[in-house]
Amino acid sequence: NERTLSCHCTRCLISRQNPGDSIVVEDFRRKLKYFFMNPCEKYRARGRKPWKLMLQILKIAIITFQLVSFGLSNQMMVTFKDENLMVFKHLFLKEYQDQRVDRYAVYTKTDSYLTIVPFFQFINLQNLTVGNHGYETMQGGYIPLILCQEFYRNSNISPGNDTFNIDPHVDKECISIYPLEPLDDNSLSKDVNLSLDFKRLLSVNIYLTLKAINLQTVRHHVFPDCYDFTITIEFDNRACSGRIKINLENDVGINECKDWNVAGTFMKNNQLLLIDSMVIIACFMSLILCIRSVCSGTQLQLHYTAFFHTYYGKTVSWSERWEFVNGWYILIIVSDTLTIAGSALKIGIQTKDLTNYDVCSILLGASTILVWVGVIRYLGFFQKYNILILTLRAAFPNVIRFSCCAGLIYLGYCFCGWIVLGPYHEKFRTLDKVTECLFSLIIGDDSYSTFKKMREKNYMVWLFSRLYLYSFISLFSYMLLSLFIAFITDTYETIKVSFALQLKVWLKNSHSQVFH
């Protein structure tokens, strides 16, 4: 037990000291015992109220409420972005059918031109779309649609004769099309001077900027945001394989609307600002109290080291010194720091001074994880829950060492699968896909489809894939995973036996005291 770490050593040496020294040792022993007490035991010992405990409970409640409110607001933002992306795909990608955009491609010259034509609906978009989209303006004029094509400077390719003559330098040409200008689709090449040489073509990139207002937040009494959509459409022909892949990307910027007027009063923003302010104050108080506790523990550790060196001439080991550093306080300090930073960003977002939702959500999400993990500390005040916590703590070093060894084997399988199976299986095409696929195989997910999709064009590779997958699943799913569980169960049994022995000794001492 932590609280008896040093008490046992001091207690067994009291008898060797003179009466004055024995009093000093006993006082220091009581000080150590009180330091390692939990808040409930401190309250029973000296009547000290557990202010940090009550503050942590309050903090958990208001942080959770804050996160839920931010999550709902963030959900409306994400929904608006996703639906606008879907709108742009249907407007600008010919015959788009809600398929994966990385599979959208064209294969003929006619389809290439016909796929580019819908982008020129940009010039009359306000009369076409059912949304509240508008054009970006700059210096009193509209920002145009820009179409750029990249191509080799010169090439003469004759696949039939196995000959080619090519200049690898890449040239780039761009044209601009302004909104609200008349344009006849039948004379596209004439009006915009668009001509594509597919023998030399590498890519065609189209850039356009649109604006919109997210009005759905008005129903939730939150001021709307103004959105800037920077749309990029790429026709990728770098492989020169006869398949031009088309990819549409939407970069979203969120700004405060310049001029707005909403009928009625909006109290929701003020209420959220009040909650965020309460969270910052509570986390700041918790941060101060935890830092003070860590400093007190450090000072006591120095006193403890000097005490043993002075009275007994012994050096305290680092493992004993680290017992004075409460890891739960470190976790709370990190959590409070993240919460304060995230809440400050959230206030900036609500007042429309900042628009970085991603950083804010990462900070608040990470802090909430740490806050709820910190609840485990208070469960440790009860003996049955404390057994589980001590098991995790005792098994952690062995688990880390085991994970390092298993990770080396896992990386070996990842590199092998990427190199050998990548050309034949889409799940092994890139290194990150390999890691995801193998992790899914460990937990038993998607095993059948992984085996089934292996093409049998090369018998040697097909045979290797079977040996590779069977050996990986057998090694990780049955052997290493079972060994991983054995580490934890063995530690649990050891601690359980130790608790049983302590309980037996305590009952024996209780019976002896009653007898006397």
Side-chain angles (χ1 to χ4, degrees):
N1 198 331
E2 289 181 351
R3 71 189 63 152
T4 59
L5 168 70
S6 304
C7 302
H8 174 71
C9 298
T10 54
R11 191 185 300 115
C12 65
L13 296 171
I14 289 177
S15 59
R16 303 181 186 179
Q17 311 298 326
N18 58 50
D21 291 340
S22 299
I23 295 175
V24 174
V25 172
E26 185 64 24
D27 290 342
F28 189 65
R29 185 181 68 82
R30 290 195 183 98
K31 187 175 182 180
L32 288 174
K33 182 178 180 180
Y34 182 77
F35 176 80
F36 286 108
M37 286 181 178
N38 62 51
C40 298
E41 292 173 339
K42 290 181 179 179
Y43 177 75
R44 288 193 293 266
R46 297 185 182 180
R48 177 183 173 181
K49 295 182 180 179
W51 296 111
K52 285 198 292 289
L53 174 60
M54 293 187 289
L55 180 61
Q56 296 303 320
I57 295 175
L58 174 64
K59 190 180 71 173
I60 290 173
I62 58 178
I63 285 179
T64 303
F65 182 81
Q66 177 201 42
L67 189 73
V68 171
S69 63
F70 179 75
L72 295 175
S73 175
N74 197 27
Q75 182 179 355
M76 290 188 290
M77 182 268 296
V78 172
T79 301
F80 187 73
K81 290 168 58 176
D82 290 343
E83 291 185 355
N84 274 274
L85 178 61
M86 189 61 60
V87 168
F88 298 145
K89 290 177 181 178
H90 280 276
L91 287 176
F92 300 129
L93 297 182
K94 185 176 181 293
E95 298 179 356
Y96 181 80
Q97 298 296 331
D98 293 342
Q99 57 183 327
R100 290 177 55 186
V101 72
D102 58 346
R103 293 181 177 177
Y104 190 88
V106 292
Y107 302 91
T108 65
K109 296 180 180 180
T110 303
D111 287 341
S112 298
Y113 281 107
L114 292 178
T115 305
I116 294 176
V117 168
F119 292 104
F120 298 104
Q121 298 180 113
F122 168 79
I123 64 175
N124 197 28
L125 186 65
Q126 289 181 328
N127 297 327
L128 179 65
T129 178
V130 297
N132 57 354
H133 298 93
Y135 303 113
E136 177 75 30
T137 58
M138 179 179 292
Q139 298 178 353
Y142 294 121
I143 295 180
L145 177 149
I146 300 175
L147 187 149
C148 298
Q149 58 172 318
E150 296 179 353
F151 48 86
Y152 290 121
R153 182 172 297 176
N154 185 24
S155 67
N156 183 11
I157 303 173
S158 179
N161 299 327
D162 295 333
T163 60
F164 67 92
N165 180 19
I166 189 169
D167 185 350
H169 292 88
V170 177
D171 291 335
K172 184 176 182 179
E173 292 183 358
C174 295
I175 59 175
S176 298
I177 301 175
Y178 286 86
L180 305 180
E181 288 186 355
L183 185 66
D184 185 7
D185 292 342
N186 295 326
S187 58
L188 179 63
S189 300
K190 178 180 178 181
D191 290 341
V192 301
N193 193 23
L194 178 64
S195 177
L196 302 177
D197 186 353
F198 292 95
K199 296 290 185 180
R200 298 187 295 153
L201 182 67
L202 291 176
S203 66
V204 176
N205 297 303
I206 301 175
Y207 310 95
L208 61 147
T209 304
L210 296 173
K211 299 178 71 68
I213 301 175
N214 186 5
L215 296 178
Q216 63 176 328
T217 59
V218 175
R219 295 183 289 107
H220 300 277
H221 304 285
V222 177
F223 289 116
D225 291 321
C226 290
Y227 288 69
D228 294 337
F229 297 106
T230 303
I231 305 169
T232 302
I233 305 95
E234 180 185 24
F235 292 70
D236 186 5
N237 190 43
R238 292 182 179 87
C240 298
S241 60
R243 181 175 186 263
I244 300 180
K245 298 181 292 294
I246 302 176
N247 183 32
L248 187 149
E249 295 182 357
N250 182 26
D251 186 19
V252 182
I254 306 175
N255 305 306
E256 180 183 7
C257 295
K258 298 178 181 178
D259 187 15
W260 52 268
N261 182 22
V262 181
T265 58
F266 270 34
M267 299 299 295
K268 188 69 173 290
N269 274 22
N270 295 332
Q271 294 174 359
L272 294 177
L273 291 175
L274 178 61
I275 294 173
D276 294 333
S277 301
M278 291 175 58
V279 169
I280 292 177
I281 294 173
C283 290
F284 185 76
M285 294 173 59
S286 172
L287 183 65
I288 296 299
L289 291 175
C290 290
I291 291 176
R292 189 190 69 173
S293 298
V294 171
C295 293
S296 299
T298 304
Q299 293 176 356
L300 184 60
Q301 178 262 328
L302 296 175
H303 187 193
Y304 172 77
T305 304
F307 182 88
F308 257 70
H309 185 268
T310 301
Y311 278 80
Y312 309 114
K314 294 185 177 182
T315 302
V316 180
S317 64
W318 281 104
S319 61
E320 291 186 355
R321 293 184 183 186
W322 279 108
E323 294 292 341
F324 290 88
V325 180
N326 195 324
W328 294 111
Y329 289 151
I330 303 298
L331 184 141
I332 294 173
I333 290 173
V334 175
S335 172
D336 290 337
T337 304
L338 295 177
T339 304
I340 292 173
S343 299
L345 283 177
K346 185 172 180 290
I347 291 176
I349 291 174
Q350 290 173 352
T351 56
K352 310 307 178 185
D353 295 326
L354 299 173
T355 58
N356 200 332
Y357 279 85
D358 293 334
V359 175
C360 182
S361 59
I362 290 173
L363 291 175
L364 292 180
S367 65
T368 305
I369 291 176
L370 297 180
V371 165
W372 280 98
V373 169
V375 176
I376 298 177
R377 173 177 180 251
Y378 305 112
L379 296 179
F381 298 159
F382 305 97
Q383 184 175 358
K384 292 184 178 180
Y385 292 103
N386 196 35
I387 294 177
L388 300 178
I389 298 172
L390 292 178
T391 300
L392 295 176
R393 179 180 178 183
F396 184 74
N398 290 331
V399 169
I400 292 298
R401 287 190 287 268
F402 172 80
S403 299
C404 291
C405 296
L408 297 176
I409 303 175
Y410 186 82
L411 286 176
Y413 270 91
C414 288
F415 286 113
C416 178
W418 177 38
I419 295 299
V420 179
L421 304 182
Y424 301 93
H425 201 299
E426 62 179 9
K427 292 185 178 180
F428 294 84
R429 198 61 50 83
T430 60
L431 190 59
D432 59 330
K433 288 184 178 180
V434 176
T435 57
E436 295 171 359
C437 178
L438 293 183
F439 186 80
S440 298
L441 290 176
I442 292 176
I443 62 177
D445 183 28
D446 214 20
S447 299
Y448 176 74
S449 61
T450 303
F451 278 93
K452 184 179 179 180
K453 290 182 180 179
M454 179 57 65
R455 294 179 290 180
E456 300 184 24
K457 291 185 177 181
N458 190 320
Y459 179 76
M460 183 179 296
V461 175
W462 178 85
L463 181 61
F464 177 85
S465 69
R466 264 44 191 172
L467 296 175
Y468 172 87
L469 294 174
Y470 281 126
S471 63
F472 177 82
I473 294 174
S474 300
L475 180 61
F476 277 87
S477 298
Y478 300 112
M479 297 175 61
L480 295 181
L481 191 58
S482 300
L483 186 59
F484 179 83
I485 297 173
F487 277 122
I488 299 177
T489 54
D490 182 64
T491 306
Y492 175 77
E493 291 298 330
T494 303
I495 294 178
K496 187 177 179 181
V497 171
S498 177
F499 265 86
L501 291 176
Q502 291 181 7
L503 181 61
K504 185 177 180 180
V505 172
W506 180 80
L507 291 175
K508 183 179 180 180
N509 293 335
S510 299
H511 285 296
S512 298
Q513 292 176 2
V514 171
F515 177 76
H516 289 299

